[in-house]
Amino acid sequence: MQVKWLDEYCNSCGGRLNSWDKRISKTLAYKYPVCEECVAKEYDEKVEDLRQRFEHYFDMRPCIGL
């Protein structure tokens, strides 16, 4: 899967969302999508640690290009 930039924006910081951000927001049952950085900040983790956690628990990997 290639990363796709969407015409949607993070509900927290206002940054542009991509397909990976949308997937993790949906997995975590966020009412409004947020970016990966805001999710990591909320859980007090680094982005790389969050990605490893998603791979371990949900068997999800980020799109190519991220």
Side-chain angles (χ1 to χ4, degrees):
M1 259 179 101
Q2 292 280 342
V3 64
K4 292 181 185 175
W5 289 98
L6 309 172
D7 288 330
E8 297 179 43
Y9 297 89
C10 176
N11 210 32
S12 184
C13 71
R16 191 169 179 193
L17 297 174
N18 58 44
S19 52
W20 173 247
D21 297 327
K22 189 83 170 198
R23 284 175 60 200
I24 65 173
S25 292
K26 194 174 203 177
T27 300
L28 294 173
Y30 280 96
K31 187 172 185 177
Y32 301 104
V34 296
C35 67
E36 180 181 39
E37 290 179 25
C38 290
V39 172
K41 199 180 301 181
E42 182 176 335
Y43 288 96
D44 197 29
E45 291 189 352
K46 295 178 184 173
V47 171
E48 292 303 316
D49 295 337
L50 182 72
R51 288 180 181 181
Q52 288 178 1
R53 196 173 294 273
F54 268 95
E55 186 168 352
H56 179 3
Y57 288 109
F58 300 109
D59 198 30
M60 292 173 57
R61 289 165 200 80
C63 308
I64 295 172
L66 285 181

